[in-house]
Amino acid sequence: MSTAKWETVIGLEVHVELSTETKIWCGCKNEFGAEPNTNVCPVCLALPGALPVLNYKAVEYTIRAGLALNCKIQRHSKFDRKNYFYADLPSGYQISQFDLPLCYDGYVDITKKDGTTRRIRIKRIHLETDAGKLLHAGDDVAAADYSLVDFNRAGVPLIEIVTEPDLRSAEEAGLFLQKLRTILKYSGVSDVKMEEGSMRCDVNLSVRPAGSSEYGVRTELKNVNSFSAVMRGIEYEEKRHIRILEEGGQPEQETRSWRDAQGISVLLRSKEDAEDYRYFPEPDLPPLEVSAEEIERIRAGLPELPDALMQRLMTEYGLSAYDASVIVAEREYAQWFLHAVELAGAGQAKTVANWQINELYRVMNEKGLGPEQIPVTPEQLVGMLKLIEQGTITGKIAKTVFDKMVETGKDAETIVKEEGLTQVADEGELLAIAREVVASNPKVFEDWKAGKQSAAQWFVGQIMKRTRGRANPQMALKLVTQALEEQAQK
Ligand SMILES: [Zn+2]
């Protein structure tokens, strides 16, 4: 199968739950993981006579997300009813936004592995209501004996971010989602946890002959629950479309469900169009007016966003683009870094970055810790760096100390005291050891005499072994050279 003949066109619809304290139309708590049906009231259960009252925080968060994603903000918008029947939707309609989304015309820039940058346009971001959640007793809906419904999620504010069909590959979609997630997390509007469903993604995909400007028939892929599932789902659909096209057929316009465990997509339903939803303005809510001053107030409240921070880490602290990008990728990592540099001084920024990227991330990876579980505080790292700077411990020992800090949560100073890891920088003591190792290894000594440079390093290694890595390396080399020269005079 040749893919060069074909071009894949992908657009994403990303749903993100906003982390407001309460739901969008009532005062019920917006909380993940509560006992089923404990955060519910007549409004979010859509009981007769209950009326929605807008939680303005949800509007503010949506505008914040829109500004962070370079969108324009609609000053006069409204809410609409999107009518459909589903068991987890008690009202029989979803309050959403149809022709006047709160945010529109934005973009996200992504940087690919080959270093090229691509701009992915965002068509719109609208604010809507999440539905409840069905739990099926069985492997899937068809095989379930019964289903249970939890309405805790019903009425949680949700934004839908719709991209233009600008993505061309699974790689680009993965990069876009990561970047989007990072930006939203910095903005503080959502915890964007795909595993808890606070970020969900539908994929629209079509394939057309390379170079064509017409779109092919698209299919929508639903239930894609992780970044890797999005990428696998795209690769699967891409192949499926190309196979149909190369056999002379035409893909159907349909909605399919991604089954990640099996690595396949299955037909869910034929695609419905907007008119199937019978949209009309929500009669229970007034139109939404946002003043220019209000938008500026929200803009002023935005924190430094990932792209700007990455630039600053490079120009202000001299970090490489790669180092800056891995630190910026998670908000917690960036905060940790900035705090450590504040304590250690800007001159130590590169050293902090090295420890963070090489040692801290390695340990966290091994232990399977997430960014909100960083096991060492900036104060602890900087305390350890001071011990190296003062010559109390060697760089080599510092790695042991670091691992012990992670294990025990104790400060470096305490660990060094308890374990006797202080650097040996006593000239007399080290010279005695140097003389001894030179005298007891005549073969290596002869090698050195014959001009083999690495022999001196080998002796330094012996000293490190005897002192369990506690010898000052520069001093050890100096004293080994002295001992070797003495031996040669004899
Ligand atoms: Zn409620």
Side-chain angles (χ1 to χ4, degrees):
M1 190 170 62
S2 62
T3 46
K5 275 169 62 187
W6 303 101
E7 182 178 46
T8 309
V9 176
I10 304 158
L12 299 177
E13 287 170 18
V14 187
H15 283 96
V16 176
E17 281 184 349
L18 299 176
S19 41
T20 51
E21 290 283 308
T22 55
K23 295 186 182 182
I24 183 167
W25 313 120
C26 63
C28 291
K29 258 202 257 170
N30 169 14
E31 149 190 58
F32 178 82
E35 278 288 298
N37 297 307
T38 49
N39 292 329
V40 291
C41 75
V43 174
C44 53
L45 288 175
L47 296 184
L51 290 172
V53 176
L54 176 64
N55 172 4
Y56 184 71
K57 268 279 175 230
V59 172
E60 197 179 320
Y61 278 24
T62 307
I63 295 174
R64 217 199 262 186
L67 292 173
L69 298 168
N70 307 296
C71 287
K72 298 181 179 120
I73 309 300
Q74 201 98 246
R75 297 215 6 229
H76 313 280
S77 63
K78 65 179 171 66
F79 291 101
D80 302 279
R81 280 193 189 178
K82 181 182 180 181
N83 294 277
Y84 66 96
F85 179 77
Y86 200 65
D88 64 4
L89 188 69
S91 51
Y93 59 84
Q94 180 184 25
I95 301 179
S96 180
Q97 295 188 303
F98 182 49
D99 52 343
L100 293 173
L102 205 43
C103 318
Y104 62 102
D105 280 359
Y107 64 86
V108 167
D109 289 331
I110 55 169
T111 306
K112 296 176 65 170
K113 257 198 225 117
D114 62 12
T116 56
T117 300
R118 290 213 52 220
R119 175 158 292 183
I120 310 304
R121 290 169 301 157
I122 289 168
K123 189 177 180 178
R124 57 185 281 156
I125 303 176
H126 60 257
L127 176 57
E128 59 185 32
T129 315
D130 210 347
K133 202 175 173 183
L134 288 176
L135 301 159
H136 305 292
D139 290 338
D140 56 51
V141 189
D145 286 336
Y146 58 89
S147 296
L148 299 166
V149 60
D150 175 8
F151 287 115
N152 280 349
R153 204 177 68 180
V156 165
L158 194 66
I159 52 174
E160 181 173 336
I161 300 164
V162 183
T163 76
E164 296 286 356
D166 286 350
L167 298 153
R168 293 289 174 267
S169 65
E171 184 207 356
E172 290 185 2
L175 289 169
F176 172 81
L177 287 173
Q178 305 244 13
K179 186 77 180 273
L180 182 69
R181 183 180 161 276
T182 304
I183 294 171
L184 292 173
K185 209 167 167 197
Y186 272 68
S187 317
V189 300
S190 173
D191 59 13
V192 275
K193 287 184 179 162
M194 254 185 148
E195 66 280 12
E196 291 184 3
S198 60
M199 181 176 183
R200 316 193 288 266
C201 179
D202 298 336
V203 178
N204 287 300
L205 180 146
S206 63
V207 170
R208 65 185 175 192
S212 163
S213 56
E214 308 261 310
Y215 292 124
V217 177
R218 69 189 171 95
T219 55
E220 187 179 6
L221 202 57
K222 286 202 173 283
N223 303 325
V224 221
N225 294 327
S226 68
F227 290 164
S228 75
V230 169
M231 293 170 76
R232 292 175 67 210
I234 286 173
E235 279 162 3
Y236 177 89
E237 276 300 291
E238 191 169 58
K239 281 188 193 137
R240 199 180 65 82
H241 277 238
I242 293 172
R243 191 172 56 236
I244 295 170
L245 290 165
E246 294 201 330
E247 283 167 359
Q250 195 60 252
E252 302 279 330
Q253 184 180 338
E254 60 196 16
T255 302
R256 301 178 68 87
S257 174
W258 176 247
R259 294 192 174 166
D260 201 43
Q262 294 142 284
I264 57 163
S265 73
V266 293
L267 176 66
L268 204 59
R269 57 180 177 263
S270 301
K271 179 71 188 161
E272 55 282 89
D273 287 316
E275 52 261 37
D276 294 337
Y277 290 121
R278 295 176 293 117
Y279 275 104
F280 64 84
E282 165 61 56
D284 292 338
L285 288 163
L288 190 58
E289 305 291 332
V290 188
S291 69
E293 295 75 35
E294 173 64 357
I295 295 169
E296 286 321 303
R297 184 188 69 81
I298 296 170
R299 195 193 301 277
L302 270 179
E304 186 177 30
L305 293 168
D307 282 346
L309 178 58
M310 186 171 154
Q311 276 308 317
R312 188 159 73 87
L313 296 189
M314 289 162 68
T315 51
E316 223 169 276
Y317 297 127
L319 298 194
S320 69
Y322 174 79
D323 286 0
S325 74
V326 290
I327 287 172
V328 164
E330 296 285 353
R331 192 181 186 190
E332 291 87 348
Y333 291 162
Q335 284 168 337
W336 195 93
F337 174 80
L338 290 172
H339 187 183
V341 170
E342 198 187 307
L343 295 168
Q348 292 273 66
K350 274 188 177 173
T351 310
V352 170
N354 284 341
W355 277 93
Q356 186 170 350
I357 293 166
N358 299 329
E359 302 304 320
L360 183 60
Y361 293 173
R362 170 186 59 78
V363 166
M364 290 179 67
N365 225 343
E366 284 166 10
K367 295 185 173 294
L369 299 176
E372 58 290 321
Q373 302 163 294
I374 302 176
V376 172
T377 65
E379 284 81 1
Q380 287 177 315
L381 178 81
V382 173
M384 191 200 75
L385 294 181
K386 286 226 171 79
L387 295 181
I388 303 175
E389 212 180 9
Q390 294 160 356
T392 311
I393 55 171
T394 62
K396 194 169 174 291
I397 284 294
K399 292 195 177 167
T400 313
V401 173
F402 184 82
D403 284 349
K404 292 218 154 81
M405 281 202 303
V406 174
E407 287 304 323
T408 62
K410 291 178 183 168
D411 290 346
E413 219 178 324
T414 313
I415 293 164
V416 167
K417 263 185 210 144
E418 284 178 2
E419 312 255 331
L421 295 171
T422 332
Q423 171 165 271
V424 182
D426 179 73
E427 284 219 24
E429 192 184 338
L430 284 183
L431 183 59
I433 299 171
R435 281 176 178 147
E436 200 187 316
V437 292
V438 168
S440 52
N441 291 285
K443 250 193 97 212
V444 191
F445 169 72
E446 289 306 325
D447 288 347
W448 174 79
K449 236 171 116 181
K452 200 170 160 198
Q453 286 301 316
S454 59
Q457 276 309 324
W458 184 86
F459 282 116
V460 172
Q462 291 304 301
I463 294 179
M464 287 300 175
K465 224 171 167 179
R466 298 240 183 150
T467 58
R468 292 183 296 126
R470 292 157 56 231
N472 176 310
Q474 286 86 29
M475 191 182 279
L477 180 62
K478 192 189 100 182
L479 298 173
V480 158
T481 312
Q482 187 183 329
L484 286 165
E485 275 158 5
E486 282 173 12
Q487 185 74 8
Q489 310 268 309
K490 280 182 189 166

